[in-house]
Each structure stands twice: as structure tokens, then as C-alpha cells.
Amino acid sequence: MAVIGAAPWRFCSFSDSKLGFSDSLSSPSAKFVRWNAVRFDAVKARSRHVTPIKAVKAFVSGQADGAGGKNGMSTNIVWHECSVDKLERQRLLQQKGCVIWITGLSGSGKSTLACALSRALHFRGNLTYVLDGDNVRHGLNRDLSFRAEDRAENIRRIGEVAKLFSDSGIICIASLISPYRKDRDACRAMLSEGNFIEVFMDIPLEVCEERDPKGLYKLARAGKIRGFTGIDDPYEPPLNCEVVLQQTGGDYNSPSDMAKTVISYLEEKGYLKA
């Protein structure tokens, strides 16, 4: 949608043959919906512009003729290939795009590892981007709760975004609890073979609860948080992940040491060169 013009009127032109609109001012078929920039009279708008307004809303929501499919999904869409493909983007960046999916209990060190890994790779000249579970809920997924169905949707959306980063040639580091195997496996299935690297922070619950950096375990034990992973909601550990980071006896590896372990895997599999 192109917005043109200036106060006191705003003119919006919509380019779509189904609606009979054109984005050309010189076109004889051009039609405009105008709003007073100072005062919008809803009653007059309904009486004078009801047809185009309804049509625009239908088009934007995907409910125009021929656009609706099962469960509201569009059926008249076709994938458009670009002349610049993933291999060319990878050659430009001198690396291979992939998704590093860090999973584990709250307090296991996922976000700390993600940032340490991103810093270490940046220092080497590799381009990364971190998708932190909490950070994404501040924007893209701010409309989702922590109910089971919303948690699944949260992970699905992050998986789709991570896939786009991977396709751009960027090393995407996703850091979130993602407690259920089926949701993690669904994200793995989005990518081609080998481009999903699952890193399991295998840290015991008692250690995570002792750390409790956000005070969430304390709230969960007090019954103030329901459905908290590890307390009254299960965590399903990976069965066949690429990297496992464990506590060694009473000692803990530093974030930089853990990052080196992941980087060694990336080097071995050839991700850090085009």
C-alpha cells in the first residue's frame, strides 16, 4: 500500500485488480479512499466509503474472493524464487547458515552460552544473531501466554524466523527452554539435513534451582507460577542431539569453554567457511 499526499488530506492508493484499484495517479480507474487528517467522522466514512473500506479489509485479512482456505490459510499463493540464492549469500559471508538451538531448563545457562558463542564467533569474523526466548516474547510473541498451545506456537514462530536467518547465510543461535521434543523436532524438520544443531544444556534441576537467576523456581515452589518447567510441567531431554554440555563433577565449565565446544563442532562440520 502506497501512501501519498499531504495534509489536510491523505490519499491512499491500493494496487490490486480484484479491488479495481490502481497505484497510478494518472490511471482512469484510480480510486482513492481519503481521510481527514484532523478529524475522522466515522459515520460519514461508513456512508460514503463503505464499499472500498470493506474490500480493503477483506483483501488485507486474506478473505477476498479466492484468498480463503481451510482454517483461514491462503490457498492462492505461489513461492517466488529470487535470483540471489543461499549459496551466493554464504559465499558473500564466507560461512554456512544454520540454526544452533540451545535447549535446557530455566537457569541452565542457555542465554549465557548463546551470548558467549555469539561473541566468540563475532571475534572470528562470523555473522550471528541470537533469538532469546524471553527477548522474542517482548515483540514478535508478545501475544502468547505460557499455556501448552501458546508455548508450541512460540517455538514454531521462532523456528520459522530462525529458518529465515539460516537461509540468509547467518548463524542463528536460538536460546529457549523448548521443553517438548515434538516442538523441537518440528523446528528441525523446517531445515534441510544438517542445518539444525541441537545443543542440550544437561544441567541437573537442583543446580538450576539453586542458581534461580530470575527467582522463578522460588515462585513456582510457592505455587505462584503454574506450569513451570521442571516443577509441575515436564522437560523432555533430547534423545539424539548434536552437542551435550554437562556439569563435570562439582566443577562448571565457563561460558567461553562451552562456546569453544560448540565452535569445535561447527568447524568440524564446515559451517565456518563457505
Side-chain angles (χ1 to χ4, degrees), residues 99-104 108 110 113-114 117 173-178 184 188 196-202 235 238 241-245 258 261-263 265-266:
V99 174
I100 301 171
W101 193 278
I102 305 175
T103 177
S108 61
K110 301 181 300 299
L113 171 60
L117 179 57
I173 306 168
S175 167
L176 60 163
I177 295 174
S178 46
R184 298 193 302 266
R188 181 186 290 272
F196 186 92
I197 302 161
E198 192 171 20
V199 178
F200 175 35
M201 301 295 290
D202 188 9
Y235 175 82
C241 60
E242 284 71 19
V243 179
V244 179
L245 297 174
M258 292 189 292
T261 300
V262 179
I263 289 174
Y265 178 88
L266 296 175

PDB file of all heavy atoms in Angstrom, residues 99-104 108 110 113-114 117 173-178 184 188 196-202 235 238 241-245 258 261-263 265-266:
ATOM      1  N   VAL A  99      21.108 -23.185  12.143  1.00  0.00           N
ATOM      2  CA  VAL A  99      20.429 -22.840  13.389  1.00  0.00           C
ATOM      3  C   VAL A  99      21.046 -23.651  14.514  1.00  0.00           C
ATOM      4  O   VAL A  99      21.086 -24.884  14.454  1.00  0.00           O
ATOM      5  CB  VAL A  99      18.915 -23.136  13.297  1.00  0.00           C
ATOM      6  CG1 VAL A  99      18.249 -22.904  14.650  1.00  0.00           C
ATOM      7  CG2 VAL A  99      18.263 -22.268  12.225  1.00  0.00           C
ATOM      8  N   ILE A 100      21.541 -22.945  15.515  1.00  0.00           N
ATOM      9  CA  ILE A 100      22.040 -23.592  16.729  1.00  0.00           C
ATOM     10  C   ILE A 100      20.944 -23.440  17.783  1.00  0.00           C
ATOM     11  O   ILE A 100      20.683 -22.333  18.254  1.00  0.00           O
ATOM     12  CB  ILE A 100      23.355 -22.959  17.207  1.00  0.00           C
ATOM     13  CG1 ILE A 100      24.422 -23.058  16.107  1.00  0.00           C
ATOM     14  CG2 ILE A 100      23.842 -23.628  18.497  1.00  0.00           C
ATOM     15  CD1 ILE A 100      25.685 -22.283  16.408  1.00  0.00           C
ATOM     16  N   TRP A 101      20.295 -24.538  18.118  1.00  0.00           N
ATOM     17  CA  TRP A 101      19.139 -24.497  19.015  1.00  0.00           C
ATOM     18  C   TRP A 101      19.573 -24.951  20.408  1.00  0.00           C
ATOM     19  O   TRP A 101      19.829 -26.131  20.646  1.00  0.00           O
ATOM     20  CB  TRP A 101      18.037 -25.408  18.478  1.00  0.00           C
ATOM     21  CG  TRP A 101      16.713 -25.214  19.130  1.00  0.00           C
ATOM     22  CD1 TRP A 101      16.297 -25.748  20.324  1.00  0.00           C
ATOM     23  CD2 TRP A 101      15.617 -24.435  18.639  1.00  0.00           C
ATOM     24  NE1 TRP A 101      15.013 -25.350  20.599  1.00  0.00           N
ATOM     25  CE2 TRP A 101      14.568 -24.533  19.579  1.00  0.00           C
ATOM     26  CE3 TRP A 101      15.424 -23.653  17.488  1.00  0.00           C
ATOM     27  CZ2 TRP A 101      13.339 -23.892  19.408  1.00  0.00           C
ATOM     28  CZ3 TRP A 101      14.210 -23.021  17.316  1.00  0.00           C
ATOM     29  CH2 TRP A 101      13.180 -23.142  18.265  1.00  0.00           C
ATOM     30  N   ILE A 102      19.666 -24.004  21.348  1.00  0.00           N
ATOM     31  CA  ILE A 102      20.109 -24.305  22.709  1.00  0.00           C
ATOM     32  C   ILE A 102      18.885 -24.533  23.587  1.00  0.00           C
ATOM     33  O   ILE A 102      18.045 -23.641  23.748  1.00  0.00           O
ATOM     34  CB  ILE A 102      20.965 -23.168  23.277  1.00  0.00           C
ATOM     35  CG1 ILE A 102      22.141 -22.855  22.337  1.00  0.00           C
ATOM     36  CG2 ILE A 102      21.494 -23.536  24.664  1.00  0.00           C
ATOM     37  CD1 ILE A 102      22.964 -21.653  22.760  1.00  0.00           C
ATOM     38  N   THR A 103      18.777 -25.727  24.154  1.00  0.00           N
ATOM     39  CA  THR A 103      17.623 -26.086  24.966  1.00  0.00           C
ATOM     40  C   THR A 103      18.076 -26.574  26.343  1.00  0.00           C
ATOM     41  O   THR A 103      19.183 -27.090  26.506  1.00  0.00           O
ATOM     42  CB  THR A 103      16.775 -27.175  24.276  1.00  0.00           C
ATOM     43  OG1 THR A 103      15.689 -27.552  25.120  1.00  0.00           O
ATOM     44  CG2 THR A 103      17.602 -28.413  23.974  1.00  0.00           C
ATOM     45  N   GLY A 104      17.212 -26.401  27.323  1.00  0.00           N
ATOM     46  CA  GLY A 104      17.530 -26.843  28.676  1.00  0.00           C
ATOM     47  C   GLY A 104      16.614 -26.150  29.672  1.00  0.00           C
ATOM     48  O   GLY A 104      15.823 -25.267  29.315  1.00  0.00           O
ATOM     49  N   SER A 108      19.778 -23.069  33.349  1.00  0.00           N
ATOM     50  CA  SER A 108      20.849 -23.981  32.920  1.00  0.00           C
ATOM     51  C   SER A 108      21.991 -23.257  32.213  1.00  0.00           C
ATOM     52  O   SER A 108      23.061 -23.834  31.998  1.00  0.00           O
ATOM     53  CB  SER A 108      20.279 -25.067  31.993  1.00  0.00           C
ATOM     54  OG  SER A 108      19.711 -24.490  30.820  1.00  0.00           O
ATOM     55  N   LYS A 110      21.491 -21.227  29.200  1.00  0.00           N
ATOM     56  CA  LYS A 110      21.257 -21.143  27.757  1.00  0.00           C
ATOM     57  C   LYS A 110      21.599 -19.759  27.195  1.00  0.00           C
ATOM     58  O   LYS A 110      22.325 -19.638  26.216  1.00  0.00           O
ATOM     59  CB  LYS A 110      19.787 -21.478  27.433  1.00  0.00           C
ATOM     60  CG  LYS A 110      19.349 -22.852  27.869  1.00  0.00           C
ATOM     61  CD  LYS A 110      17.904 -23.130  27.514  1.00  0.00           C
ATOM     62  CE  LYS A 110      16.935 -22.146  28.162  1.00  0.00           C
ATOM     63  NZ  LYS A 110      16.990 -22.185  29.642  1.00  0.00           N
ATOM     64  N   LEU A 113      25.315 -18.946  27.407  1.00  0.00           N
ATOM     65  CA  LEU A 113      26.060 -19.629  26.343  1.00  0.00           C
ATOM     66  C   LEU A 113      25.821 -18.960  25.005  1.00  0.00           C
ATOM     67  O   LEU A 113      26.760 -18.759  24.227  1.00  0.00           O
ATOM     68  CB  LEU A 113      25.657 -21.103  26.277  1.00  0.00           C
ATOM     69  CG  LEU A 113      26.195 -21.876  25.060  1.00  0.00           C
ATOM     70  CD1 LEU A 113      27.717 -21.871  25.032  1.00  0.00           C
ATOM     71  CD2 LEU A 113      25.648 -23.304  25.045  1.00  0.00           C
ATOM     72  N   ALA A 114      24.560 -18.622  24.715  1.00  0.00           N
ATOM     73  CA  ALA A 114      24.227 -18.011  23.422  1.00  0.00           C
ATOM     74  C   ALA A 114      25.032 -16.731  23.205  1.00  0.00           C
ATOM     75  O   ALA A 114      25.591 -16.506  22.121  1.00  0.00           O
ATOM     76  CB  ALA A 114      22.731 -17.717  23.353  1.00  0.00           C
ATOM     77  N   LEU A 117      28.772 -17.547  22.809  1.00  0.00           N
ATOM     78  CA  LEU A 117      29.009 -18.139  21.492  1.00  0.00           C
ATOM     79  C   LEU A 117      28.954 -17.078  20.404  1.00  0.00           C
ATOM     80  O   LEU A 117      29.797 -17.048  19.493  1.00  0.00           O
ATOM     81  CB  LEU A 117      27.960 -19.228  21.238  1.00  0.00           C
ATOM     82  CG  LEU A 117      28.016 -19.967  19.902  1.00  0.00           C
ATOM     83  CD1 LEU A 117      29.366 -20.628  19.695  1.00  0.00           C
ATOM     84  CD2 LEU A 117      26.895 -21.005  19.831  1.00  0.00           C
ATOM     85  N   ILE A 173      21.414 -18.347  16.507  1.00  0.00           N
ATOM     86  CA  ILE A 173      21.503 -19.028  17.791  1.00  0.00           C
ATOM     87  C   ILE A 173      20.180 -18.819  18.537  1.00  0.00           C
ATOM     88  O   ILE A 173      19.884 -17.709  18.973  1.00  0.00           O
ATOM     89  CB  ILE A 173      22.678 -18.484  18.625  1.00  0.00           C
ATOM     90  CG1 ILE A 173      23.984 -18.566  17.818  1.00  0.00           C
ATOM     91  CG2 ILE A 173      22.805 -19.248  19.937  1.00  0.00           C
ATOM     92  CD1 ILE A 173      25.130 -17.798  18.446  1.00  0.00           C
ATOM     93  N   ALA A 174      19.383 -19.866  18.618  1.00  0.00           N
ATOM     94  CA  ALA A 174      18.092 -19.786  19.314  1.00  0.00           C
ATOM     95  C   ALA A 174      18.252 -20.351  20.718  1.00  0.00           C
ATOM     96  O   ALA A 174      18.738 -21.472  20.890  1.00  0.00           O
ATOM     97  CB  ALA A 174      17.024 -20.558  18.545  1.00  0.00           C
ATOM     98  N   SER A 175      17.884 -19.564  21.718  1.00  0.00           N
ATOM     99  CA  SER A 175      18.064 -19.961  23.109  1.00  0.00           C
ATOM    100  C   SER A 175      16.731 -19.907  23.842  1.00  0.00           C
ATOM    101  O   SER A 175      16.237 -18.823  24.145  1.00  0.00           O
ATOM    102  CB  SER A 175      19.082 -19.018  23.778  1.00  0.00           C
ATOM    103  OG  SER A 175      19.074 -19.159  25.178  1.00  0.00           O
ATOM    104  N   LEU A 176      16.141 -21.071  24.106  1.00  0.00           N
ATOM    105  CA  LEU A 176      14.868 -21.107  24.816  1.00  0.00           C
ATOM    106  C   LEU A 176      14.643 -22.501  25.403  1.00  0.00           C
ATOM    107  O   LEU A 176      15.183 -23.485  24.900  1.00  0.00           O
ATOM    108  CB  LEU A 176      13.704 -20.723  23.909  1.00  0.00           C
ATOM    109  CG  LEU A 176      13.418 -21.538  22.663  1.00  0.00           C
ATOM    110  CD1 LEU A 176      11.997 -21.232  22.172  1.00  0.00           C
ATOM    111  CD2 LEU A 176      14.376 -21.218  21.529  1.00  0.00           C
ATOM    112  N   ILE A 177      13.851 -22.567  26.448  1.00  0.00           N
ATOM    113  CA  ILE A 177      13.649 -23.843  27.147  1.00  0.00           C
ATOM    114  C   ILE A 177      13.160 -24.916  26.179  1.00  0.00           C
ATOM    115  O   ILE A 177      13.682 -26.019  26.154  1.00  0.00           O
ATOM    116  CB  ILE A 177      12.638 -23.678  28.309  1.00  0.00           C
ATOM    117  CG1 ILE A 177      13.210 -22.736  29.373  1.00  0.00           C
ATOM    118  CG2 ILE A 177      12.314 -25.034  28.927  1.00  0.00           C
ATOM    119  CD1 ILE A 177      12.227 -22.388  30.487  1.00  0.00           C
ATOM    120  N   SER A 178      12.153 -24.603  25.379  1.00  0.00           N
ATOM    121  CA  SER A 178      11.562 -25.551  24.418  1.00  0.00           C
ATOM    122  C   SER A 178      11.499 -26.961  25.004  1.00  0.00           C
ATOM    123  O   SER A 178      12.237 -27.844  24.584  1.00  0.00           O
ATOM    124  CB  SER A 178      12.343 -25.545  23.103  1.00  0.00           C
ATOM    125  OG  SER A 178      13.746 -25.605  23.305  1.00  0.00           O
ATOM    126  N   ARG A 184      10.571 -29.222  19.224  1.00  0.00           N
ATOM    127  CA  ARG A 184      11.944 -29.057  18.729  1.00  0.00           C
ATOM    128  C   ARG A 184      12.143 -29.823  17.432  1.00  0.00           C
ATOM    129  O   ARG A 184      12.790 -29.337  16.495  1.00  0.00           O
ATOM    130  CB  ARG A 184      12.946 -29.521  19.793  1.00  0.00           C
ATOM    131  CG  ARG A 184      12.897 -28.731  21.098  1.00  0.00           C
ATOM    132  CD  ARG A 184      14.113 -29.032  21.969  1.00  0.00           C
ATOM    133  NE  ARG A 184      14.268 -30.435  22.303  1.00  0.00           N
ATOM    134  CZ  ARG A 184      13.802 -31.016  23.406  1.00  0.00           C
ATOM    135  NH1 ARG A 184      13.125 -30.288  24.290  1.00  0.00           N
ATOM    136  NH2 ARG A 184      14.013 -32.296  23.641  1.00  0.00           N
ATOM    137  N   ARG A 188      13.336 -28.662  13.672  1.00  0.00           N
ATOM    138  CA  ARG A 188      14.393 -29.351  12.930  1.00  0.00           C
ATOM    139  C   ARG A 188      13.911 -29.705  11.515  1.00  0.00           C
ATOM    140  O   ARG A 188      14.661 -29.578  10.542  1.00  0.00           O
ATOM    141  CB  ARG A 188      14.824 -30.624  13.674  1.00  0.00           C
ATOM    142  CG  ARG A 188      15.943 -31.399  12.978  1.00  0.00           C
ATOM    143  CD  ARG A 188      16.214 -32.723  13.691  1.00  0.00           C
ATOM    144  NE  ARG A 188      16.846 -32.533  14.984  1.00  0.00           N
ATOM    145  CZ  ARG A 188      18.164 -32.446  15.190  1.00  0.00           C
ATOM    146  NH1 ARG A 188      18.994 -32.527  14.144  1.00  0.00           N
ATOM    147  NH2 ARG A 188      18.639 -32.302  16.398  1.00  0.00           N
ATOM    148  N   PHE A 196      20.277 -27.937  11.415  1.00  0.00           N
ATOM    149  CA  PHE A 196      19.706 -27.725  12.746  1.00  0.00           C
ATOM    150  C   PHE A 196      20.622 -28.408  13.743  1.00  0.00           C
ATOM    151  O   PHE A 196      20.762 -29.638  13.745  1.00  0.00           O
ATOM    152  CB  PHE A 196      18.288 -28.301  12.820  1.00  0.00           C
ATOM    153  CG  PHE A 196      17.562 -28.015  14.108  1.00  0.00           C
ATOM    154  CD1 PHE A 196      16.759 -26.889  14.227  1.00  0.00           C
ATOM    155  CD2 PHE A 196      17.663 -28.888  15.193  1.00  0.00           C
ATOM    156  CE1 PHE A 196      16.066 -26.629  15.418  1.00  0.00           C
ATOM    157  CE2 PHE A 196      16.980 -28.637  16.377  1.00  0.00           C
ATOM    158  CZ  PHE A 196      16.179 -27.503  16.492  1.00  0.00           C
ATOM    159  N   ILE A 197      21.264 -27.627  14.582  1.00  0.00           N
ATOM    160  CA  ILE A 197      22.236 -28.156  15.539  1.00  0.00           C
ATOM    161  C   ILE A 197      21.666 -27.977  16.940  1.00  0.00           C
ATOM    162  O   ILE A 197      21.589 -26.866  17.456  1.00  0.00           O
ATOM    163  CB  ILE A 197      23.585 -27.419  15.404  1.00  0.00           C
ATOM    164  CG1 ILE A 197      24.112 -27.572  13.974  1.00  0.00           C
ATOM    165  CG2 ILE A 197      24.588 -27.941  16.423  1.00  0.00           C
ATOM    166  CD1 ILE A 197      25.159 -26.550  13.599  1.00  0.00           C
ATOM    167  N   GLU A 198      21.251 -29.081  17.537  1.00  0.00           N
ATOM    168  CA  GLU A 198      20.621 -29.022  18.858  1.00  0.00           C
ATOM    169  C   GLU A 198      21.684 -29.147  19.944  1.00  0.00           C
ATOM    170  O   GLU A 198      22.454 -30.118  19.981  1.00  0.00           O
ATOM    171  CB  GLU A 198      19.583 -30.143  18.988  1.00  0.00           C
ATOM    172  CG  GLU A 198      18.679 -30.001  20.196  1.00  0.00           C
ATOM    173  CD  GLU A 198      17.536 -31.017  20.161  1.00  0.00           C
ATOM    174  OE1 GLU A 198      17.654 -32.035  19.440  1.00  0.00           O
ATOM    175  OE2 GLU A 198      16.535 -30.791  20.851  1.00  0.00           O
ATOM    176  N   VAL A 199      21.725 -28.141  20.819  1.00  0.00           N
ATOM    177  CA  VAL A 199      22.681 -28.122  21.928  1.00  0.00           C
ATOM    178  C   VAL A 199      21.894 -28.254  23.227  1.00  0.00           C
ATOM    179  O   VAL A 199      21.076 -27.391  23.561  1.00  0.00           O
ATOM    180  CB  VAL A 199      23.505 -26.813  21.936  1.00  0.00           C
ATOM    181  CG1 VAL A 199      24.445 -26.793  23.129  1.00  0.00           C
ATOM    182  CG2 VAL A 199      24.287 -26.667  20.634  1.00  0.00           C
ATOM    183  N   PHE A 200      22.158 -29.332  23.950  1.00  0.00           N
ATOM    184  CA  PHE A 200      21.423 -29.613  25.189  1.00  0.00           C
ATOM    185  C   PHE A 200      22.254 -29.207  26.396  1.00  0.00           C
ATOM    186  O   PHE A 200      23.347 -29.730  26.620  1.00  0.00           O
ATOM    187  CB  PHE A 200      21.082 -31.107  25.249  1.00  0.00           C
ATOM    188  CG  PHE A 200      20.433 -31.544  26.532  1.00  0.00           C
ATOM    189  CD1 PHE A 200      19.555 -30.724  27.229  1.00  0.00           C
ATOM    190  CD2 PHE A 200      20.698 -32.815  27.045  1.00  0.00           C
ATOM    191  CE1 PHE A 200      18.944 -31.136  28.413  1.00  0.00           C
ATOM    192  CE2 PHE A 200      20.094 -33.242  28.221  1.00  0.00           C
ATOM    193  CZ  PHE A 200      19.228 -32.394  28.906  1.00  0.00           C
ATOM    194  N   MET A 201      21.714 -28.271  27.183  1.00  0.00           N
ATOM    195  CA  MET A 201      22.348 -27.877  28.441  1.00  0.00           C
ATOM    196  C   MET A 201      21.895 -28.870  29.508  1.00  0.00           C
ATOM    197  O   MET A 201      20.844 -28.708  30.138  1.00  0.00           O
ATOM    198  CB  MET A 201      21.940 -26.453  28.807  1.00  0.00           C
ATOM    199  CG  MET A 201      22.308 -25.402  27.775  1.00  0.00           C
ATOM    200  SD  MET A 201      24.089 -25.202  27.582  1.00  0.00           S
ATOM    201  CE  MET A 201      24.511 -24.441  29.144  1.00  0.00           C
ATOM    202  N   ASP A 202      22.676 -29.922  29.678  1.00  0.00           N
ATOM    203  CA  ASP A 202      22.306 -31.023  30.571  1.00  0.00           C
ATOM    204  C   ASP A 202      22.753 -30.700  31.997  1.00  0.00           C
ATOM    205  O   ASP A 202      23.714 -31.280  32.520  1.00  0.00           O
ATOM    206  CB  ASP A 202      22.947 -32.318  30.075  1.00  0.00           C
ATOM    207  CG  ASP A 202      22.449 -33.547  30.824  1.00  0.00           C
ATOM    208  OD1 ASP A 202      21.485 -33.408  31.605  1.00  0.00           O
ATOM    209  OD2 ASP A 202      23.029 -34.630  30.627  1.00  0.00           O
ATOM    210  N   TYR A 235      10.073 -31.556  31.417  1.00  0.00           N
ATOM    211  CA  TYR A 235      11.060 -31.212  30.383  1.00  0.00           C
ATOM    212  C   TYR A 235      11.504 -32.527  29.752  1.00  0.00           C
ATOM    213  O   TYR A 235      11.917 -33.456  30.460  1.00  0.00           O
ATOM    214  CB  TYR A 235      12.270 -30.486  30.966  1.00  0.00           C
ATOM    215  CG  TYR A 235      13.329 -30.239  29.909  1.00  0.00           C
ATOM    216  CD1 TYR A 235      13.218 -29.149  29.046  1.00  0.00           C
ATOM    217  CD2 TYR A 235      14.386 -31.119  29.731  1.00  0.00           C
ATOM    218  CE1 TYR A 235      14.147 -28.941  28.034  1.00  0.00           C
ATOM    219  CE2 TYR A 235      15.314 -30.923  28.728  1.00  0.00           C
ATOM    220  CZ  TYR A 235      15.196 -29.829  27.880  1.00  0.00           C
ATOM    221  OH  TYR A 235      16.111 -29.635  26.876  1.00  0.00           O
ATOM    222  N   PRO A 238      16.561 -34.040  24.906  1.00  0.00           N
ATOM    223  CA  PRO A 238      16.777 -34.579  23.555  1.00  0.00           C
ATOM    224  C   PRO A 238      17.278 -36.019  23.609  1.00  0.00           C
ATOM    225  O   PRO A 238      17.980 -36.413  24.541  1.00  0.00           O
ATOM    226  CB  PRO A 238      17.859 -33.645  22.983  1.00  0.00           C
ATOM    227  CG  PRO A 238      17.795 -32.408  23.814  1.00  0.00           C
ATOM    228  CD  PRO A 238      17.381 -32.853  25.176  1.00  0.00           C
ATOM    229  N   CYS A 241      20.693 -35.383  20.164  1.00  0.00           N
ATOM    230  CA  CYS A 241      21.137 -34.032  19.811  1.00  0.00           C
ATOM    231  C   CYS A 241      22.595 -34.045  19.359  1.00  0.00           C
ATOM    232  O   CYS A 241      23.314 -35.035  19.532  1.00  0.00           O
ATOM    233  CB  CYS A 241      20.955 -33.081  20.997  1.00  0.00           C
ATOM    234  SG  CYS A 241      21.874 -33.553  22.456  1.00  0.00           S
ATOM    235  N   GLU A 242      23.019 -32.935  18.765  1.00  0.00           N
ATOM    236  CA  GLU A 242      24.375 -32.850  18.218  1.00  0.00           C
ATOM    237  C   GLU A 242      25.439 -32.552  19.278  1.00  0.00           C
ATOM    238  O   GLU A 242      26.566 -33.040  19.203  1.00  0.00           O
ATOM    239  CB  GLU A 242      24.424 -31.762  17.134  1.00  0.00           C
ATOM    240  CG  GLU A 242      23.815 -32.148  15.798  1.00  0.00           C
ATOM    241  CD  GLU A 242      22.299 -32.260  15.816  1.00  0.00           C
ATOM    242  OE1 GLU A 242      21.665 -31.710  16.741  1.00  0.00           O
ATOM    243  OE2 GLU A 242      21.738 -32.903  14.903  1.00  0.00           O
ATOM    244  N   VAL A 243      25.090 -31.737  20.261  1.00  0.00           N
ATOM    245  CA  VAL A 243      26.059 -31.344  21.290  1.00  0.00           C
ATOM    246  C   VAL A 243      25.381 -31.416  22.662  1.00  0.00           C
ATOM    247  O   VAL A 243      24.268 -30.927  22.833  1.00  0.00           O
ATOM    248  CB  VAL A 243      26.588 -29.905  21.051  1.00  0.00           C
ATOM    249  CG1 VAL A 243      27.573 -29.511  22.150  1.00  0.00           C
ATOM    250  CG2 VAL A 243      27.236 -29.778  19.680  1.00  0.00           C
ATOM    251  N   VAL A 244      26.068 -32.026  23.626  1.00  0.00           N
ATOM    252  CA  VAL A 244      25.597 -32.067  25.012  1.00  0.00           C
ATOM    253  C   VAL A 244      26.638 -31.391  25.893  1.00  0.00           C
ATOM    254  O   VAL A 244      27.824 -31.717  25.824  1.00  0.00           O
ATOM    255  CB  VAL A 244      25.378 -33.512  25.501  1.00  0.00           C
ATOM    256  CG1 VAL A 244      24.910 -33.512  26.962  1.00  0.00           C
ATOM    257  CG2 VAL A 244      24.362 -34.237  24.626  1.00  0.00           C
ATOM    258  N   LEU A 245      26.187 -30.428  26.700  1.00  0.00           N
ATOM    259  CA  LEU A 245      27.075 -29.743  27.630  1.00  0.00           C
ATOM    260  C   LEU A 245      26.627 -30.099  29.035  1.00  0.00           C
ATOM    261  O   LEU A 245      25.502 -29.796  29.436  1.00  0.00           O
ATOM    262  CB  LEU A 245      27.027 -28.237  27.402  1.00  0.00           C
ATOM    263  CG  LEU A 245      27.508 -27.783  26.021  1.00  0.00           C
ATOM    264  CD1 LEU A 245      27.273 -26.285  25.832  1.00  0.00           C
ATOM    265  CD2 LEU A 245      28.980 -28.104  25.819  1.00  0.00           C
ATOM    266  N   MET A 258      32.402 -23.540  27.090  1.00  0.00           N
ATOM    267  CA  MET A 258      31.259 -24.186  26.439  1.00  0.00           C
ATOM    268  C   MET A 258      31.116 -23.702  25.004  1.00  0.00           C
ATOM    269  O   MET A 258      30.812 -24.483  24.096  1.00  0.00           O
ATOM    270  CB  MET A 258      29.982 -23.921  27.231  1.00  0.00           C
ATOM    271  CG  MET A 258      29.934 -24.598  28.582  1.00  0.00           C
ATOM    272  SD  MET A 258      28.308 -24.488  29.386  1.00  0.00           S
ATOM    273  CE  MET A 258      28.235 -22.728  29.723  1.00  0.00           C
ATOM    274  N   THR A 261      33.426 -25.484  22.740  1.00  0.00           N
ATOM    275  CA  THR A 261      32.953 -26.827  22.390  1.00  0.00           C
ATOM    276  C   THR A 261      32.016 -26.776  21.186  1.00  0.00           C
ATOM    277  O   THR A 261      32.123 -27.592  20.256  1.00  0.00           O
ATOM    278  CB  THR A 261      32.227 -27.472  23.589  1.00  0.00           C
ATOM    279  OG1 THR A 261      33.118 -27.561  24.697  1.00  0.00           O
ATOM    280  CG2 THR A 261      31.720 -28.860  23.229  1.00  0.00           C
ATOM    281  N   VAL A 262      31.098 -25.806  21.201  1.00  0.00           N
ATOM    282  CA  VAL A 262      30.160 -25.666  20.077  1.00  0.00           C
ATOM    283  C   VAL A 262      30.908 -25.233  18.822  1.00  0.00           C
ATOM    284  O   VAL A 262      30.635 -25.737  17.717  1.00  0.00           O
ATOM    285  CB  VAL A 262      29.045 -24.663  20.426  1.00  0.00           C
ATOM    286  CG1 VAL A 262      28.084 -24.502  19.246  1.00  0.00           C
ATOM    287  CG2 VAL A 262      28.282 -25.107  21.665  1.00  0.00           C
ATOM    288  N   ILE A 263      31.855 -24.323  18.959  1.00  0.00           N
ATOM    289  CA  ILE A 263      32.622 -23.847  17.798  1.00  0.00           C
ATOM    290  C   ILE A 263      33.433 -24.993  17.193  1.00  0.00           C
ATOM    291  O   ILE A 263      33.548 -25.096  15.964  1.00  0.00           O
ATOM    292  CB  ILE A 263      33.535 -22.678  18.208  1.00  0.00           C
ATOM    293  CG1 ILE A 263      32.683 -21.436  18.490  1.00  0.00           C
ATOM    294  CG2 ILE A 263      34.555 -22.371  17.107  1.00  0.00           C
ATOM    295  CD1 ILE A 263      33.452 -20.259  19.032  1.00  0.00           C
ATOM    296  N   TYR A 265      32.550 -28.048  17.063  1.00  0.00           N
ATOM    297  CA  TYR A 265      31.598 -28.814  16.257  1.00  0.00           C
ATOM    298  C   TYR A 265      31.349 -28.109  14.921  1.00  0.00           C
ATOM    299  O   TYR A 265      31.329 -28.758  13.864  1.00  0.00           O
ATOM    300  CB  TYR A 265      30.289 -28.996  17.019  1.00  0.00           C
ATOM    301  CG  TYR A 265      29.239 -29.748  16.230  1.00  0.00           C
ATOM    302  CD1 TYR A 265      29.173 -31.138  16.272  1.00  0.00           C
ATOM    303  CD2 TYR A 265      28.323 -29.067  15.425  1.00  0.00           C
ATOM    304  CE1 TYR A 265      28.216 -31.830  15.539  1.00  0.00           C
ATOM    305  CE2 TYR A 265      27.374 -29.750  14.691  1.00  0.00           C
ATOM    306  CZ  TYR A 265      27.326 -31.131  14.747  1.00  0.00           C
ATOM    307  OH  TYR A 265      26.390 -31.812  13.996  1.00  0.00           O
ATOM    308  N   LEU A 266      31.158 -26.798  14.964  1.00  0.00           N
ATOM    309  CA  LEU A 266      30.908 -26.035  13.742  1.00  0.00           C
ATOM    310  C   LEU A 266      32.097 -26.133  12.780  1.00  0.00           C
ATOM    311  O   LEU A 266      31.916 -26.250  11.568  1.00  0.00           O
ATOM    312  CB  LEU A 266      30.633 -24.572  14.077  1.00  0.00           C
ATOM    313  CG  LEU A 266      29.367 -24.285  14.907  1.00  0.00           C
ATOM    314  CD1 LEU A 266      29.295 -22.807  15.251  1.00  0.00           C
ATOM    315  CD2 LEU A 266      28.110 -24.705  14.163  1.00  0.00           C
TER     316      LEU A 266
END
